Amino acid sequence: AISFFPTQATATQIRTFTNWNDVARWMGEVEDAQMNINDAIAGKTQDLTVNAKTELEKIQAIARYVQQIQYISIQVGTKTGGGYRPNLATEVFAKSYGDCKDKANLMRAMLSVLKISAYMVSITADDAMYVRAEWASPHQFNHCIIAIKVSDEVKLPSVVTHPKLGRLLIFDPTDAYTQVGDLPEEQQGSLALVDHKDSDSLLQMPILPPEMSQVERNIEVSLSPEGGISGIITEKSIGQSASEERGRLRNLSSADYNKMIEGWIGRAVNGVKATKIAPKDNTQEGSFNLDVEFGANSFAQLMQGRLMVFKPAIIGRLDRQTFGEGKRIHPYLIDATTYSENVKIKLPDGFIVDEMPEAIQLKTEFGKYDVKYEVKDGHLLFKRSMTLNKSTVPPEKYESVRKFFGQVRLAEQAPVVLMKK
């Protein structure tokens, strides 16, 4: 990257930046003039927050509204800052569409009606490692989000502290599925610029802990003496895990969504048929629930009428992940996530457990994985959990990643053998 400067002032001098404060001041000048309000914006803001009792509830109400504004990006006047200048907030509100900077600017304007200060934030949306602190230039950014000044009563993991602006709640109003308090995975940990005259340097975006992107799953199934299976899946997701599920539900037709769910189960259960698929998007609490009832005529393999073999890791197995043997030259990126699963399998009448895998505990600097088995009251209890920390694993440590996931894959392919009494 190169920053170039004219040797002397000319009438057509281009805009140049010597440091990040130069960039922040210029971006602020370009954006601040576009944050206007009128009676329509003020009235809508009051309507949205009439039942909000706390500072956070007010922010959440405005956020939900702006998230639903249609995303459309049309760049005009690029010679005069059009690529960075949002449209007037009143225009975006009236037309109900805009791009990332338009949506952030509208949210900022609506918050100002409530006397809540907010600032535009320039960021790169799709690569947390892209921005370089040593090159002060707005050309490093391709996205705009918002930083909302909050009091001490707002305690969320997406709050960061700016050295001069204080406690800031980071939020992306363009992302239609991520709730206030959360942040898209690709933006976590990245370097961004708060577009304000008091910004002298880049600010690192928050890295949310693994438990903020969590899946909790419970499965109860019955095996028939012929190897058939029927059961219920109950799953709850939060954070980015919930955002992914929310996006699938909203972007697919009912038929395609159901087909996707059956395909998800069908990767391990041949001929599966889902008799009930009930997703529930709990946007108010930021979670996503999914209940599924399913069955299949053949799941366990019956051998000579005496032995029955099956894999208790019924769904969502990680055995599809593969890792190359060659030398890696780029870092391996791991997203923060955690899941836990409890599986209760009713054994078929006349069968007992003959062979069962041993419990496994794996632990590395970037994550851990646990598997346990137990036979109790005619049921096989299978428990597994995984926690992955957001990590950038250097190429020289890639072997540790390959080994870890290789062991996980073997564990999830491990079968249980039943024997007929």
Side-chain angles (χ1 to χ4, degrees), residues 67-317:
Q67 281 180 306
Q68 302 312 310
I69 296 290
Q70 180 67 44
Y71 178 87
I72 298 177
S73 178
I74 303 173
Q75 303 300 336
V76 295
T78 54
K79 289 182 66 177
T80 56
Y84 303 97
R85 189 190 308 278
N87 289 294
L88 289 168
T90 50
E91 293 181 0
V92 177
F93 177 79
K95 297 176 180 178
S96 196
Y97 71 80
D99 63 11
C100 58
K101 58 185 178 293
D102 294 329
K103 288 162 72 79
N105 187 52
L106 174 59
M107 184 169 178
R108 185 185 180 201
M110 298 181 80
L111 289 171
S112 73
V113 174
L114 305 173
K115 309 301 181 185
I116 298 176
S117 299
Y119 315 102
M120 307 280 269
V121 177
S122 296
I123 194 170
T124 291
D126 48 7
D127 185 352
M129 300 177 64
Y130 182 80
V131 175
R132 305 296 178 181
E134 61 269 25
W135 184 38
S137 170
H139 294 299
Q140 296 200 66
F141 308 117
N142 64 7
H143 191 44
C144 184
I145 59 177
I146 192 171
I148 306 161
K149 189 173 179 61
V150 293
S151 66
D152 291 340
E153 73 177 47
V154 177
K155 300 184 185 301
L156 293 169
S158 58
V159 173
V160 296
T161 301
H162 189 279
K164 294 183 179 179
L165 300 176
R167 301 182 79 246
L168 301 177
L169 171 61
I170 307 298
F171 178 67
D172 185 353
T174 301
D175 188 319
Y177 312 121
T178 295
Q179 306 291 295
V180 171
D182 196 6
L183 196 64
E185 187 68 47
E186 295 80 6
Q187 299 173 26
Q188 294 184 33
S190 65
L191 295 175
L193 183 68
V194 180
D195 301 337
H196 188 274
K197 62 182 179 63
D198 288 337
S199 287
D200 296 324
S201 60
L202 297 173
L203 185 67
Q204 186 176 35
M205 296 295 95
I207 298 176
L208 276 60
E211 57 268 23
M212 287 296 297
S213 179
Q214 188 174 66
V215 177
E216 295 180 350
R217 183 185 303 136
N218 290 288
I219 303 175
E220 290 194 19
V221 297
S222 296
L223 287 177
S224 72
E226 295 75 33
I229 190 173
S230 61
I232 299 173
I233 302 169
T234 303
E235 185 174 277
K236 179 180 180 179
S237 306
I238 62 172
Q240 286 301 289
S241 296
S243 298
E244 292 177 9
E245 297 298 330
R246 192 173 293 123
R248 294 187 184 104
L249 178 64
R250 296 186 190 178
N251 289 314
L252 294 173
S253 67
S254 178
D256 287 342
Y257 183 82
N258 291 346
K259 184 177 180 181
M260 181 204 70
I261 295 297
E262 280 194 340
W264 170 54
I265 304 173
R267 287 197 287 270
V269 184
N270 292 326
V272 67
K273 179 65 178 178
T275 55
K276 175 186 175 182
I277 299 176
K280 184 178 180 181
D281 187 2
N282 303 301
T283 53
Q284 293 289 341
E285 65 176 52
S287 66
F288 188 95
N289 288 45
L290 176 64
D291 295 335
V292 181
E293 295 179 9
F294 70 99
N297 292 329
S298 60
F299 171 66
Q301 183 181 5
L302 199 60
M303 304 173 66
Q304 299 178 345
R306 295 184 61 253
L307 299 178
M308 186 179 291
V309 182
F310 65 92
K311 298 175 183 177
I314 298 172
I315 59 173
R317 291 208 300 259

